[in-house]
Amino acid sequence: MADSGVAEGGAATAYARIVVAQVRSQAQYRTSFVVDLAGTAGFGALDLLSVLVTFRVTRTLGGFALPAVFLMTALASLGFSVADLVVGNIERIRVYVRTGLLDALLVRPLGALPQLLATDFTPRRLGRVALYLALVPVAMRLNHVSLTPARFALLVMTPLAGAVLFGSVFVASATVAFWWIDSGEFANAVTYGGRDFAGYPMNVYSGFFRRLFAYGLGYAFVGYYPALALLGRRDPLGAPAWVGWAAPPVALAAAGAAGLLWRTAIRHYRRTGS
């Protein structure tokens, strides 16, 4: 057991060193690094701009005014931006599979997935995270939400669970590349499309589309239902109030499914020389 703990500690140190090396190499060109940070924050602001444009033509959306939808978008986007920072570069897996670079990761005494995430870590995505960290409190003030201990716990828990859920979707959709190399558009539709989906009230969607994305992929639990719990509003779709607190178990279930899919893909991977 002690040897296992030492091995795990050594692996964590190795991953940390890879991430630090990535940050140092990208931060050497300071002007470019700052511009990249500002750029990612700017693209995040464009996501919010689309919400504002929508409310230029309507006063409510699914029965919700702009401040409520702004809160849903801010919560969902914060969770997504954290996942994109930590796991978003998994989309490069199709390049690793196509070129055979994945073989080099598999022969090392480290986990393939953590190596891939650490090697391609992109610190400029911190700009988007910082933007939404600042905007969530703004959204709370716009909705005049008093911050009780329970609401504070929910406010902290929701983006973390959202990051786990979005990260799981990133990993699960990226593993399709093991069977379908040109799967990038599919993965982007599920991940980035899911971010846009999660920022709006679920009752504006209908039929199979809502069942698939809101409940099948769990996107209703990263912005919509937590926002309803914070606002003290009933769900127009009839879900009970406790669903607003369901993000952590939903995220853990998604992480378990993504981990199983990743391990299955690695076991069935055929090296470029085989």
Coordinates of all heavy atoms in Angstrom, one line a residue, residues 62-123:
G62 N -39.2 31.7 -22.4 CA -39.8 30.6 -21.7 C -40.3 31.1 -20.3 O -40.4 30.3 -19.4
G63 N -40.8 32.3 -20.2 CA -41.3 32.8 -19.0 C -40.2 33.4 -18.1 O -40.6 33.9 -16.9
F64 N -39.0 33.5 -18.5 CA -37.9 34.0 -17.7 C -37.4 35.3 -18.3 O -37.2 35.4 -19.5 CB -36.8 33.0 -17.6 CG -37.1 31.7 -16.9 CD1 -37.6 30.7 -17.6 CD2 -37.0 31.6 -15.5 CE1 -37.9 29.5 -17.0 CE2 -37.3 30.5 -14.9 CZ -37.8 29.4 -15.6
A65 N -37.2 36.3 -17.4 CA -36.6 37.6 -17.8 C -35.1 37.5 -18.0 O -34.5 36.5 -17.6 CB -37.0 38.7 -16.8
L66 N -34.5 38.6 -18.5 CA -33.1 38.6 -18.8 C -32.2 38.2 -17.6 O -31.3 37.4 -17.7 CB -32.7 39.9 -19.4 CG -31.2 40.1 -19.6 CD1 -30.6 39.1 -20.5 CD2 -30.9 41.5 -20.1
P67 N -32.5 38.8 -16.4 CA -31.6 38.5 -15.2 C -31.5 37.0 -14.9 O -30.5 36.5 -14.6 CB -32.2 39.3 -14.1 CG -32.9 40.5 -14.8 CD -33.4 39.9 -16.0
A68 N -32.7 36.3 -15.0 CA -32.7 34.9 -14.7 C -32.0 34.1 -15.7 O -31.2 33.2 -15.4 CB -34.2 34.4 -14.6
V69 N -32.1 34.4 -17.0 CA -31.4 33.7 -18.0 C -29.9 34.0 -18.0 O -29.1 33.1 -18.2 CB -32.0 34.1 -19.4 CG1 -31.2 33.4 -20.5 CG2 -33.5 33.7 -19.5
F70 N -29.6 35.2 -17.6 CA -28.2 35.6 -17.4 C -27.5 34.7 -16.3 O -26.4 34.3 -16.5 CB -28.1 37.1 -17.1 CG -26.7 37.6 -16.9 CD1 -25.8 37.6 -17.9 CD2 -26.3 38.1 -15.6 CE1 -24.5 38.1 -17.7 CE2 -25.0 38.6 -15.4 CZ -24.1 38.6 -16.5
L71 N -28.3 34.5 -15.3 CA -27.7 33.6 -14.2 C -27.5 32.2 -14.7 O -26.5 31.5 -14.4 CB -28.7 33.6 -13.0 CG -28.3 32.7 -11.8 CD1 -26.9 33.1 -11.3 CD2 -29.3 32.8 -10.7
M72 N -28.5 31.7 -15.4 CA -28.4 30.3 -16.0 C -27.1 30.2 -16.9 O -26.3 29.3 -16.8 CB -29.6 29.9 -16.8 CG -30.9 29.8 -16.0 SD -32.3 29.6 -17.1 CE -33.7 29.9 -16.0
T73 N -27.0 31.2 -17.8 CA -25.8 31.2 -18.7 C -24.5 31.4 -18.0 O -23.5 30.7 -18.3 CB -26.0 32.4 -19.7 OG1 -27.2 32.3 -20.4 CG2 -24.9 32.4 -20.7
A74 N -24.5 32.2 -17.0 CA -23.2 32.4 -16.2 C -22.8 31.1 -15.5 O -21.6 30.8 -15.5 CB -23.4 33.6 -15.2
L75 N -23.7 30.5 -14.9 CA -23.4 29.2 -14.1 C -22.9 28.1 -15.1 O -21.9 27.5 -14.9 CB -24.7 28.7 -13.4 CG -25.1 29.5 -12.1 CD1 -26.4 29.0 -11.6 CD2 -24.0 29.5 -11.1
A76 N -23.7 27.9 -16.2 CA -23.3 26.9 -17.2 C -22.0 27.2 -17.8 O -21.2 26.3 -18.0 CB -24.4 26.7 -18.2
S77 N -21.8 28.5 -18.2 CA -20.6 28.9 -18.9 C -19.3 28.8 -17.9 O -18.2 28.5 -18.4 CB -20.7 30.3 -19.4 OG -21.7 30.3 -20.4
L78 N -19.5 29.1 -16.6 CA -18.4 28.9 -15.7 C -18.0 27.5 -15.6 O -16.8 27.1 -15.7 CB -18.7 29.5 -14.3 CG -17.7 29.3 -13.3 CD1 -16.4 30.0 -13.7 CD2 -18.1 29.9 -11.9
G79 N -18.9 26.5 -15.5 CA -18.6 25.1 -15.4 C -17.9 24.7 -16.7 O -16.9 23.9 -16.7
F80 N -18.4 25.2 -17.9 CA -17.8 24.8 -19.1 C -16.4 25.3 -19.3 O -15.5 24.6 -19.7 CB -18.7 25.3 -20.3 CG -18.1 25.0 -21.6 CD1 -18.4 23.8 -22.3 CD2 -17.3 25.9 -22.3 CE1 -17.8 23.5 -23.5 CE2 -16.7 25.6 -23.5 CZ -17.0 24.4 -24.1
S81 N -16.2 26.6 -18.9 CA -14.9 27.2 -19.0 C -13.8 26.5 -18.2 O -12.7 26.3 -18.6 CB -14.9 28.7 -18.7 OG -15.3 28.9 -17.4
V82 N -14.2 26.0 -17.0 CA -13.3 25.2 -16.2 C -13.0 23.9 -16.8 O -11.8 23.5 -16.9 CB -13.8 25.0 -14.7 CG1 -12.9 24.1 -13.9 CG2 -14.0 26.3 -14.0
A83 N -14.0 23.2 -17.4 CA -13.8 22.0 -18.1 C -12.9 22.2 -19.3 O -12.0 21.3 -19.6 CB -15.1 21.3 -18.4
D84 N -13.2 23.3 -20.0 CA -12.4 23.5 -21.2 C -10.9 23.8 -20.9 O -10.0 23.4 -21.6 CB -13.0 24.8 -21.9 CG -12.4 25.0 -23.3 OD1 -12.2 24.0 -24.0 OD2 -12.3 26.1 -23.7
L85 N -10.7 24.5 -19.7 CA -9.3 24.7 -19.3 C -8.6 23.4 -19.0 O -7.4 23.2 -19.4 CB -9.3 25.6 -18.1 CG -8.0 25.8 -17.3 CD1 -7.0 26.6 -18.2 CD2 -8.2 26.5 -16.0
V86 N -9.2 22.5 -18.3 CA -8.6 21.3 -17.7 C -8.6 20.2 -18.8 O -7.6 19.4 -18.9 CB -9.3 20.9 -16.4 CG1 -8.6 19.6 -15.9 CG2 -9.2 22.0 -15.4
V87 N -9.7 20.0 -19.5 CA -9.9 18.8 -20.3 C -10.1 19.1 -21.8 O -10.1 18.2 -22.6 CB -11.2 18.0 -19.8 CG1 -11.3 16.7 -20.4 CG2 -11.1 17.8 -18.3
G88 N -10.3 20.4 -22.1 CA -10.7 20.8 -23.5 C -9.7 20.3 -24.5 O -10.1 20.0 -25.7
N89 N -8.4 20.2 -24.2 CA -7.5 19.8 -25.2 C -7.5 18.3 -25.5 O -6.8 17.8 -26.4 CB -6.0 20.2 -24.8 CG -5.7 19.7 -23.4 OD1 -6.2 18.7 -22.9 ND2 -4.8 20.4 -22.7
I90 N -8.4 17.6 -24.9 CA -8.6 16.1 -25.3 C -9.1 16.0 -26.7 O -8.9 14.9 -27.3 CB -9.7 15.5 -24.3 CG1 -9.8 14.0 -24.5 CG2 -11.1 16.1 -24.5 CD1 -8.5 13.3 -24.1
E91 N -9.6 17.1 -27.3 CA -10.0 17.0 -28.7 C -8.9 16.7 -29.6 O -9.1 16.3 -30.8 CB -10.7 18.4 -29.1 CG -9.8 19.6 -29.0 CD -10.5 20.9 -29.2 OE1 -11.8 20.8 -29.3 OE2 -9.8 21.9 -29.3
R92 N -7.6 16.9 -29.2 CA -6.5 16.6 -30.0 C -6.2 15.1 -30.1 O -5.2 14.7 -30.7 CB -5.2 17.3 -29.4 CG -5.2 18.8 -29.7 CD -3.9 19.5 -29.2 NE -2.7 18.8 -29.6 CZ -2.1 18.9 -30.8 NH1 -2.7 19.8 -31.7 NH2 -1.0 18.3 -31.1
I93 N -7.0 14.3 -29.4 CA -6.7 12.9 -29.4 C -6.8 12.3 -30.8 O -6.1 11.4 -31.1 CB -7.8 12.1 -28.5 CG1 -7.4 10.7 -28.4 CG2 -9.2 12.3 -29.0 CD1 -6.1 10.4 -27.7
R94 N -7.6 12.9 -31.7 CA -7.7 12.4 -33.0 C -6.4 12.6 -33.8 O -6.0 11.8 -34.6 CB -8.9 13.0 -33.8 CG -8.8 14.5 -33.9 CD -10.1 15.0 -34.6 NE -10.1 16.5 -34.8 CZ -10.5 17.3 -33.9 NH1 -11.0 16.9 -32.8 NH2 -10.5 18.6 -34.2
V95 N -5.6 13.7 -33.5 CA -4.3 13.9 -34.0 C -3.3 12.8 -33.5 O -2.5 12.3 -34.3 CB -3.8 15.3 -33.7 CG1 -2.4 15.5 -34.3 CG2 -4.8 16.3 -34.3
Y96 N -3.4 12.5 -32.3 CA -2.5 11.5 -31.7 C -2.8 10.2 -32.3 O -1.9 9.4 -32.5 CB -2.7 11.5 -30.1 CG -2.0 12.6 -29.4 CD1 -2.3 13.9 -29.5 CD2 -0.9 12.3 -28.6 CE1 -1.7 14.9 -28.9 CE2 -0.2 13.3 -27.9 CZ -0.6 14.6 -28.0 OH 0.1 15.6 -27.4
V97 N -4.1 9.8 -32.5 CA -4.4 8.5 -33.0 C -4.0 8.5 -34.5 O -3.4 7.5 -34.9 CB -5.9 8.3 -32.9 CG1 -6.3 7.0 -33.7 CG2 -6.3 8.1 -31.4
R98 N -4.2 9.5 -35.3 CA -3.9 9.5 -36.7 C -2.4 9.4 -36.9 O -1.9 8.7 -37.8 CB -4.4 10.8 -37.4 CG -4.2 10.8 -38.9 CD -4.6 12.2 -39.5 NE -6.0 12.4 -39.5 CZ -6.6 13.3 -38.8 NH1 -5.9 14.1 -38.0 NH2 -7.9 13.4 -38.8
T99 N -1.6 10.2 -36.1 CA -0.1 10.3 -36.4 C 0.7 9.2 -35.6 O 1.9 9.1 -35.8 CB 0.4 11.6 -36.0 OG1 0.1 11.9 -34.6 CG2 -0.3 12.7 -36.8
G100 N 0.0 8.5 -34.7 CA 0.7 7.5 -33.9 C 1.4 8.1 -32.7 O 2.1 7.3 -31.9
L101 N 1.2 9.4 -32.3 CA 1.8 9.9 -31.1 C 1.2 9.3 -29.9 O 1.9 9.3 -28.8 CB 1.5 11.5 -31.1 CG 2.3 12.3 -32.1 CD1 1.8 13.7 -32.1 CD2 3.8 12.2 -31.8
L102 N 0.0 8.7 -30.0 CA -0.5 8.1 -28.8 C 0.3 6.9 -28.3 O 0.4 6.6 -27.1 CB -2.0 7.6 -29.1 CG -2.7 7.0 -27.9 CD1 -2.9 8.0 -26.8 CD2 -4.1 6.5 -28.4
D103 N 1.0 6.3 -29.3 CA 1.8 5.1 -28.9 C 2.9 5.5 -27.9 O 3.3 4.8 -27.0 CB 2.5 4.5 -30.2 CG 1.5 3.9 -31.1 OD1 0.3 3.9 -30.8 OD2 1.9 3.5 -32.2
A104 N 3.5 6.7 -28.1 CA 4.5 7.2 -27.2 C 4.0 7.4 -25.8 O 4.7 7.2 -24.8 CB 5.1 8.5 -27.8
L105 N 2.7 7.8 -25.7 CA 2.1 8.0 -24.4 C 1.9 6.7 -23.7 O 2.1 6.6 -22.5 CB 0.8 8.8 -24.5 CG 0.9 10.2 -25.0 CD1 -0.5 10.9 -25.0 CD2 1.9 11.1 -24.3
L106 N 1.5 5.7 -24.4 CA 1.1 4.4 -23.9 C 2.3 3.6 -23.3 O 2.1 2.8 -22.5 CB 0.4 3.6 -24.9 CG -1.0 4.1 -25.3 CD1 -1.6 3.3 -26.5 CD2 -2.0 4.2 -24.2
V107 N 3.5 3.9 -23.9 CA 4.7 3.1 -23.4 C 5.3 3.7 -22.1 O 6.2 3.1 -21.5 CB 5.7 3.0 -24.5 CG1 5.2 2.3 -25.7 CG2 6.3 4.4 -24.9
R108 N 4.8 4.9 -21.7 CA 5.3 5.5 -20.5 C 4.6 4.9 -19.3 O 3.4 4.6 -19.4 CB 5.2 7.0 -20.6 CG 6.0 7.7 -21.7 CD 5.6 9.1 -21.8 NE 6.3 9.8 -22.9 CZ 6.0 11.0 -23.4 NH1 5.0 11.7 -22.8 NH2 6.7 11.5 -24.4
P109 N 5.3 5.0 -18.1 CA 4.6 4.4 -16.9 C 3.7 5.4 -16.3 O 3.7 5.6 -15.1 CB 5.8 4.1 -16.0 CG 6.9 5.1 -16.4 CD 6.7 5.3 -17.9
L110 N 2.9 6.1 -17.1 CA 1.9 7.1 -16.6 C 0.6 6.9 -17.3 O 0.6 6.3 -18.4 CB 2.4 8.5 -16.8 CG 3.7 8.9 -16.1 CD1 4.2 10.3 -16.7 CD2 3.4 9.1 -14.6
G111 N -0.5 7.4 -16.8 CA -1.8 7.2 -17.4 C -1.8 8.0 -18.7 O -1.3 9.2 -18.8
A112 N -2.4 7.4 -19.7 CA -2.5 8.1 -21.1 C -3.3 9.4 -21.0 O -2.9 10.4 -21.6 CB -3.0 7.1 -22.1
L113 N -4.4 9.3 -20.4 CA -5.3 10.5 -20.4 C -4.7 11.7 -19.6 O -4.7 12.8 -20.1 CB -6.7 10.1 -19.8 CG -7.7 11.3 -19.7 CD1 -8.0 11.9 -21.1 CD2 -9.0 10.7 -19.1
P114 N -4.2 11.5 -18.4 CA -3.5 12.6 -17.7 C -2.3 13.1 -18.4 O -2.1 14.3 -18.4 CB -3.1 12.0 -16.3 CG -4.0 10.8 -16.1 CD -4.3 10.3 -17.5
Q115 N -1.6 12.3 -19.1 CA -0.4 12.7 -19.9 C -0.9 13.7 -21.0 O -0.3 14.7 -21.3 CB 0.3 11.6 -20.5 CG 1.2 10.8 -19.6 CD 2.1 9.8 -20.4 OE1 3.1 10.2 -20.9 NE2 1.6 8.6 -20.4
L116 N -2.0 13.2 -21.7 CA -2.5 14.0 -22.8 C -3.0 15.4 -22.4 O -2.7 16.4 -23.0 CB -3.6 13.2 -23.5 CG -4.3 13.9 -24.7 CD1 -3.3 14.1 -25.8 CD2 -5.5 13.1 -25.2
L117 N -3.7 15.4 -21.2 CA -4.2 16.7 -20.7 C -3.1 17.6 -20.2 O -3.1 18.8 -20.5 CB -5.2 16.4 -19.6 CG -6.4 15.5 -19.9 CD1 -7.3 15.4 -18.7 CD2 -7.2 16.1 -21.1
A118 N -2.1 17.0 -19.6 CA -1.0 17.8 -19.1 C -0.1 18.3 -20.2 O 0.3 19.5 -20.2 CB -0.1 17.0 -18.1
T119 N 0.2 17.5 -21.2 CA 1.1 17.9 -22.3 C 0.5 19.0 -23.1 O 1.2 19.9 -23.6 CB 1.3 16.6 -23.2 OG1 1.9 15.6 -22.4 CG2 2.3 17.0 -24.3
D120 N -0.8 19.0 -23.3 CA -1.4 20.0 -24.2 C -2.2 21.1 -23.3 O -3.1 21.8 -23.8 CB -2.4 19.4 -25.1 CG -1.7 18.6 -26.2 OD1 -0.6 19.0 -26.6 OD2 -2.2 17.5 -26.6
F121 N -1.8 21.2 -22.1 CA -2.5 22.2 -21.2 C -2.3 23.6 -21.8 O -1.3 24.0 -22.2 CB -1.9 22.2 -19.8 CG -2.5 23.2 -18.9 CD1 -3.8 22.9 -18.4 CD2 -1.9 24.3 -18.4 CE1 -4.4 23.8 -17.5 CE2 -2.5 25.2 -17.6 CZ -3.7 24.9 -17.1
T122 N -3.4 24.4 -21.8 CA -3.5 25.7 -22.5 C -3.9 26.8 -21.5 O -5.1 27.0 -21.2 CB -4.5 25.7 -23.7 OG1 -4.2 24.6 -24.5 CG2 -4.3 27.0 -24.5
P123 N -2.9 27.4 -20.8 CA -3.3 28.4 -19.7 C -4.0 29.6 -20.2 O -4.7 30.3 -19.4 CB -1.9 28.8 -19.2 CG -0.9 28.4 -20.2 CD -1.5 27.3 -21.0

